[in-house]
Amino acid sequence: MGLLTRFIFQAVPTLIGAVTILFLLLRMIPGDPAQAMLGADATAVDLARMRHELGLDQPIWVQYGLYLRDFLTGNWGNSIVSKTPALDRVLEALPDTLMLCGMAIVIIIGISLPAGVLSAVRRDSWVDYGVSVAVFLLMSMPQFWLGLLLLLVLSYWLDWFPIFGTGDAGDPLSILHHLVLPALTLAAGFLGLVTRLTRSSMLEVLGREYVRTARAKGLREGVVIVKHALRNALLPVVTVIGLTMGQLLGGAVIVEVVFARAGVGTMIWDAILQRDYPQVQAAVAVFAALFITTNFLTDLLYGLLNPRIKI
Amino acid sequence: MALLDVRNLVTEFTTPAGPRRAVNDVSFAVQRGEILGLVGESGSGKSVTALSVMGLVDNQVGRVTGGNILFDNTDLTALPAAALRALRGKRLSMIFQEPLSALNPCYTIGDQISEAFVAHGDSDTRKNHQRVLELLRLVHIPDPEGVLRRYPHEISGGMRQRAMIAMALAYTPDLLIADEPTTALDVTIQAQVLNLIDRLRRELGLGVLLITHDIGIVAQYTDRVAVMYGGRIVETGPTAQVFATPKHPYTIGLLGSVPRLRHRKPGEKRTRLQEIPGSVPSIAQVTQGCRFAGRCSHSMPQCEQQMPPMRERGPGHDAACYWEGPA
Ligand SMILES: Nc1ncnc2c1ncn2[C@@H]1O[C@H](COP(=O)(O)OP(=O)(O)OP(=O)(O)O)[C@@H](O)[C@H]1O
Ligand SMILES: [Mg+2]
């Protein structure tokens, strides 16, 4: 079976499952889209007409059946609020969110990998102890608290980074400047985990016989560590970073809202408050698809990195 | 002047109970063009001795704490790391016990061999490719072009071991340490590999330290033998003489545990040296006297008190035992 076929066979049922759960959850939260749209002083007649227009007067399984049919045929509906196609709005907001998550991944890899490798290589040194303490603090601190702390110190006191917003469109420096703090907050929850994993994976691999063989050949210590040890130690780390990517999407919702950034997260947040069901459904479906895709890509990468696995 | 002259080597490991000696006051020499056999039961300290010579004892858990390792008149224990690294893989190389775990699963055989050239400053890729092919032919690997591109898990145990040997021979070393180079192989291939090492020794004048469990291999391939027990060398001498008139009860036990040395049928399982009652003491057990005393049928009160010193029993034949031997 081809790679693509396998992907589709796994992805489609997962996606349907995800949107089904979402559909039910949305109907379980209290509130009425018609009411939300028309305001508190709407008449009963207006409300009834609105509900009928939105199809909300149908039994729930009929609503679900219609929704699923539309979902599978690619007709994801219009936003109730903006009246424009829900999917288009999501795709418009997506780059900002992907940039945030991408930056967070860069931070995770850029900090956790070197820190984990260093503390494994210099095991039981003060570097190792320092890293261990940092990992412990990061892992025991709630993410929102750390975000507030970062805001307080780096923005409010030191005034290094702006507190809110996405930055001026078209000015990469400004965008990057606005990106640092939210990305750091988003990454923070995973820094400890990935550092610790890298360290233990490296320690295990450094004790392997092939590392000794590499030294026996007269290779430089740097080559031994990076080429022979790290390459093998990365295998479990890659898997975890891949899974992290999925969780980052969830974290991005909160971070975007807290830092008042544009993005799919903020869109989901607003849409839930406004009971804009089609918009929430489209956005979350895109997130689910992204999640499934990153997992698939992670498996693929793992296979590429590990010659013992046939892809 | 010996090629390798190890004097009073001590190697310690950190254990929960404190530092413990895995190699204790070990001295031996290897001449150019000579094969010295190092035998002993599992856990007697053979591999640790070899790793100490290579400077490859994992410094997180252990280190060489005493003695000198003179390689071509240079003391390796006093050598800066960079200088030692320049020797490793070029003039000093080692074949490891388990070829599967000693090869990196992520790189091809060709990459792992040519890497040795790159490490020593020869980075001409095309030339290295040719040299790797030559090496693979030297160790009788059929289809060298194919094996070159394979990963370790894709070739047989025999091929892996030969690839390991090819790696160790990348530069013709002066000293080759072979730690059980044939354990993973069947008897026919075992003989091929050992004959290859023997041929290289004769043709290129290599000094070889051959570590093995197999008394039959020692008898057939080595010039001299050192018998190791509990971190010490208990008997050493010319192989023929030690085998004809063993002096140490442990050596006698070892030889006795291989009853049909000359009559082993091809394909028959190699005899493991486990027929002496009891087992090698763990390095955690510290003893004043001879470490074999507890298992020895000739032990005397003084054996428990003081380690018997090495005594000459014949020309070049020494044993560390108070017992005078069978009358
Ligand atoms: N990394 C280590 N940490 C602690 N103890 C070790 C370590 N490596 C070896 N030892 C101990 O040193 C002793 C000698 O081990 P060594 O590997 O040299 O035995 P060996 O003679 O090569 O045995 P085998 O025939 O099984 O290969 C053993 O008691 C072992 O437990
Ligand atoms: Mg061994």
Side-chain angles (χ1 to χ4, degrees):
Chain A
M1 194 156 52
L3 212 57
L4 204 65
T5 340
R6 201 168 70 197
F7 173 59
I8 289 169
F9 267 91
Q10 283 171 358
V12 173
T14 317
L15 203 54
I16 291 178
V19 297
T20 303
I21 292 173
L22 177 71
F23 181 89
L24 294 174
L25 278 179
L26 277 179
R27 267 67 187 177
M28 262 158 30
I29 52 174
D32 178 354
Q35 185 90 61
M37 286 174 70
L38 297 176
D41 48 359
T43 64
V45 180
D46 284 345
L47 280 176
R49 190 164 39 82
M50 196 61 178
R51 285 209 191 91
H52 180 72
E53 269 173 29
L54 296 172
L56 295 170
D57 53 349
Q58 310 256 37
I60 188 136
W61 59 86
V62 176
Q63 289 185 44
Y64 175 66
L66 289 173
Y67 165 65
L68 207 58
R69 188 198 65 198
D70 287 347
F71 178 77
L72 290 176
T73 51
N75 176 13
W76 289 14
N78 287 338
S79 157
I80 294 178
V81 177
S82 75
K83 310 278 192 287
T84 53
L87 182 60
D88 291 355
R89 293 190 68 213
V90 177
L91 296 180
E92 256 164 49
L94 195 57
D96 276 324
T97 303
L98 288 184
M99 200 162 63
L100 176 65
C101 293
M103 186 69 175
I105 289 276
V106 168
I107 291 175
I108 292 172
I109 293 175
I111 294 180
S112 288
L113 282 194
V117 170
L118 202 67
S119 67
V121 171
R122 300 248 176 282
R123 177 178 166 192
D124 292 333
S125 68
W126 64 267
V127 183
D128 186 22
Y129 295 139
V131 169
S132 296
V133 170
V135 165
F136 175 76
L137 287 178
L138 278 172
M139 292 188 74
S140 51
M141 234 188 274
Q143 196 178 353
F144 75 91
W145 196 78
L146 189 80
L148 290 179
L149 198 71
L150 286 174
L151 267 179
L152 182 70
V153 176
L154 297 180
S155 292
Y156 192 73
W157 286 350
L158 297 174
D159 200 18
W160 286 356
F161 298 104
I163 298 187
F164 296 125
T166 315
D168 309 326
D171 179 358
L173 269 182
S174 157
I175 292 176
L176 199 65
H177 195 203
H178 283 78
L179 193 58
V180 174
L181 216 47
L184 204 59
T185 309
L186 187 55
F190 303 94
L191 284 178
L193 175 74
V194 177
T195 305
R196 208 174 60 171
L197 183 72
T198 307
R199 178 181 182 273
S200 64
S201 181
M202 268 306 272
L203 276 181
E204 205 233 300
V205 168
L206 281 171
R208 292 291 182 82
E209 284 174 40
Y210 51 74
V211 170
R212 195 159 68 195
T213 310
R215 292 201 176 104
K217 275 183 258 190
L219 295 178
R220 277 166 203 288
E221 197 54 20
V223 178
V224 172
I225 286 167
V226 174
K227 180 173 174 185
H228 287 272
L230 183 58
R231 170 66 197 274
N232 282 281
L234 270 184
L235 292 174
V237 178
V238 162
T239 308
V240 167
I241 291 181
L243 294 177
T244 300
M245 187 70 197
Q247 296 179 27
L248 280 180
L249 291 172
V253 176
I254 299 170
V255 169
E256 279 177 6
V257 171
V258 168
F259 286 89
R261 292 175 55 85
V264 184
T266 308
M267 167 180 290
I268 292 179
W269 180 263
D270 292 342
I272 289 178
L273 290 183
Q274 294 159 338
R275 302 290 180 273
D276 189 348
Y277 291 172
Q279 192 58 65
V280 179
Q281 279 159 349
V284 175
V286 168
F287 265 16
L290 273 176
F291 185 84
I292 294 165
T293 311
T294 48
N295 281 359
F296 178 74
L297 290 178
T298 307
D299 281 352
L300 210 63
L301 184 61
Y302 186 88
L304 285 177
L305 282 176
N306 188 347
R308 280 165 297 184
I309 288 184
K310 287 260 176 298
I311 6 174
Chain B
M1 194 61 223
L3 172 65
L4 177 73
D5 191 355
V6 174
R7 294 180 187 164
N8 311 104
L9 178 71
V10 178
T11 304
E12 292 184 337
F13 284 107
T14 316
T15 70
R20 288 291 182 271
R21 295 181 168 190
V23 172
N24 195 351
D25 199 17
V26 159
S27 303
F28 62 89
V30 181
Q31 312 290 334
R32 288 178 195 276
E34 176 191 52
I35 300 188
L36 173 71
L38 189 58
V39 283
E41 282 166 289
S42 196
S44 53
K46 307 181 298 290
S47 295
V48 176
T49 303
L51 291 173
S52 304
V53 172
M54 294 290 293
L56 290 175
V57 176
D58 181 359
N59 60 13
Q60 294 284 356
V61 288
R63 62 197 187 95
V64 173
T65 53
N68 305 98
I69 301 166
L70 301 176
F71 174 69
D72 209 10
N73 281 333
T74 317
D75 189 351
L76 300 184
T77 59
L79 217 54
L84 184 58
R85 199 189 59 224
L87 289 179
R88 277 203 296 254
K90 194 160 186 180
R91 298 191 55 205
L92 193 61
S93 43
M94 179 157 175
I95 302 168
F96 291 92
Q97 212 164 344
E98 288 293 335
L100 184 56
S101 44
L103 291 169
N104 193 323
C106 284
Y107 299 101
T108 60
I109 298 296
D111 185 3
Q112 293 188 62
I113 298 177
S114 58
E115 193 177 43
F117 296 120
V118 181
H120 294 283
D122 295 327
S123 42
D124 183 334
T125 319
R126 186 170 310 156
K127 226 170 165 181
N128 286 347
H129 182 81
Q130 286 311 317
R131 290 164 87 171
V132 172
L133 282 178
E134 259 166 52
L135 283 168
L136 293 179
R137 279 189 212 106
L138 179 75
V139 295
H140 298 299
I141 285 186
D143 182 26
E145 281 280 4
V147 168
L148 196 83
R149 269 177 269 112
R150 293 275 152 74
Y151 289 92
H153 69 279
E154 295 175 334
I155 58 177
S156 71
M159 288 302 130
R160 280 197 286 266
Q161 189 57 286
R162 289 177 209 207
M164 275 288 317
I165 297 173
M167 197 182 286
L169 296 175
Y171 293 91
T172 309
D174 294 312
L175 179 72
L176 177 68
I177 300 178
D179 191 352
E180 314 230 7
T182 57
T183 340
L185 311 180
D186 67 54
V187 181
T188 336
I189 300 169
Q190 184 181 10
Q192 283 178 15
V193 166
L194 290 166
N195 289 336
L196 170 72
I197 292 176
D198 195 40
R199 197 184 84 212
L200 293 168
R201 172 271 290 260
R202 267 183 285 116
E203 289 173 5
L204 308 171
L206 260 65
V208 180
L209 178 63
L210 179 65
I211 298 175
T212 177
H213 279 107
D214 193 322
I215 295 291
I217 290 177
V218 179
Q220 196 177 345
Y221 291 96
T222 66
D223 305 295
R224 287 188 308 118
V225 63
V227 180
M228 204 164 178
Y229 185 82
R232 290 179 183 268
I233 289 181
V234 294
E235 181 158 7
T236 175
T239 307
Q241 197 178 336
V242 171
F243 278 35
T245 55
K247 298 297 181 190
H248 197 287
Y250 178 64
T251 316
I252 297 173
L254 273 190
L255 295 174
S257 68
V258 205
R260 292 170 298 132
L261 191 57
R262 302 251 157 65
H263 312 290
R264 206 172 58 197
K265 296 181 208 83
E268 190 181 336
K269 192 90 191 118
R270 289 177 297 282
T271 321
R272 283 265 160 179
L273 307 175
Q274 280 157 353
E275 284 87 354
I276 309 174
S279 58
V280 180
S282 135
I283 59 168
Q285 281 168 256
V286 186
T287 43
Q288 287 269 305
C290 174
R291 292 178 73 80
F292 188 58
R295 294 169 76 186
C296 182
S297 50
H298 303 284
S299 80
M300 339 174 183
Q302 69 203 87
C303 297
E304 308 274 353
Q305 263 118 54
Q306 208 190 353
M307 175 67 203
M310 274 286 192
R311 268 195 309 135
E312 184 152 8
R313 302 301 181 89
H317 182 180
D318 297 336
C321 186
Y322 295 120
W323 184 54
E324 287 305 331

Coordinates of all heavy atoms in Angstrom, one line a residue, chain B residues 10 16 30 68 80 86 99 143 177 196 232 238 267 272 280 286:
Chain B
V10 N 46.6 -1.0 36.7 CA 45.5 -1.1 37.6 C 44.3 -0.2 37.0 O 44.5 0.9 36.7 CB 45.8 -0.5 39.0 CG1 44.6 -0.5 39.9 CG2 47.0 -1.2 39.7
P16 N 29.0 1.2 44.0 CA 28.3 1.8 45.1 C 29.1 1.7 46.4 O 29.1 2.5 47.3 CB 27.0 1.0 45.3 CG 26.8 0.5 43.9 CD 28.1 0.3 43.3
V30 N 53.8 -7.5 24.5 CA 53.6 -8.1 23.1 C 54.7 -7.6 22.2 O 55.0 -6.4 22.1 CB 52.2 -7.6 22.6 CG1 51.9 -8.2 21.2 CG2 51.1 -7.9 23.5
N68 N 51.9 1.6 34.0 CA 52.3 2.2 32.7 C 52.0 1.3 31.6 O 52.0 0.1 31.7 CB 53.9 2.5 32.7 CG 54.3 3.3 33.9 OD1 54.8 2.7 34.9 ND2 54.1 4.6 33.9
P80 N 48.8 13.1 26.2 CA 47.6 13.9 26.1 C 46.5 13.3 25.2 O 46.9 12.5 24.3 CB 48.1 15.2 25.5 CG 49.6 15.1 25.5 CD 50.0 13.7 25.7
A86 N 45.3 10.4 18.0 CA 46.0 10.2 16.8 C 46.6 8.8 16.6 O 46.7 8.4 15.4 CB 47.2 11.3 16.7
P99 N 30.1 -7.6 17.2 CA 30.1 -6.7 16.0 C 28.7 -6.0 15.8 O 28.7 -4.9 15.4 CB 30.4 -7.7 14.9 CG 30.1 -9.0 15.4 CD 30.3 -9.0 16.8
D143 N 31.3 -9.6 -2.8 CA 30.5 -8.4 -3.2 C 30.8 -7.2 -2.3 O 29.9 -6.6 -1.7 CB 29.0 -8.8 -3.1 CG 28.1 -7.6 -3.6 OD1 28.6 -6.8 -4.4 OD2 26.9 -7.5 -3.1
I177 N 44.4 -5.3 18.8 CA 43.8 -6.0 19.9 C 42.5 -6.6 19.4 O 41.6 -5.9 18.9 CB 43.5 -5.0 21.1 CG1 44.8 -4.4 21.5 CG2 42.8 -5.8 22.2 CD1 44.6 -3.4 22.7
L196 N 43.3 -15.2 8.8 CA 43.6 -13.9 8.3 C 44.4 -13.1 9.2 O 45.4 -12.5 8.8 CB 42.2 -13.2 8.0 CG 42.3 -11.7 7.7 CD1 42.9 -11.5 6.3 CD2 41.0 -11.0 7.8
R232 N 43.7 -10.4 37.7 CA 45.2 -10.6 37.7 C 45.6 -11.6 36.7 O 44.8 -12.5 36.3 CB 45.6 -11.1 39.1 CG 45.5 -10.1 40.2 CD 46.0 -10.7 41.5 NE 45.9 -9.8 42.6 CZ 46.8 -9.0 43.0 NH1 48.0 -9.0 42.4 NH2 46.7 -8.2 44.1
P238 N 55.3 -19.3 27.2 CA 55.1 -19.8 25.9 C 53.9 -20.8 25.8 O 53.8 -21.6 26.7 CB 56.4 -20.5 25.6 CG 57.4 -19.9 26.5 CD 56.7 -19.6 27.7
G267 N 32.3 -27.9 13.5 CA 30.9 -27.6 13.7 C 30.5 -27.8 15.1 O 29.4 -27.3 15.6
R272 N 32.8 -23.7 26.5 CA 32.9 -22.5 27.3 C 33.6 -23.0 28.6 O 33.5 -24.1 29.0 CB 31.5 -22.0 27.7 CG 30.9 -21.2 26.6 CD 31.2 -19.7 26.8 NE 31.1 -19.0 25.5 CZ 31.2 -17.7 25.4 NH1 31.5 -17.0 26.5 NH2 31.1 -17.1 24.3
V280 N 33.8 -16.8 38.9 CA 34.7 -15.7 39.1 C 34.2 -14.7 40.2 O 33.0 -14.4 40.1 CB 35.0 -15.0 37.8 CG1 35.9 -13.8 38.0 CG2 35.4 -15.9 36.7
V286 N 36.5 -7.7 47.9 CA 38.0 -7.4 48.0 C 38.6 -8.5 48.9 O 38.1 -8.9 49.9 CB 38.1 -6.1 48.8 CG1 39.6 -5.7 48.8 CG2 37.3 -5.0 48.1

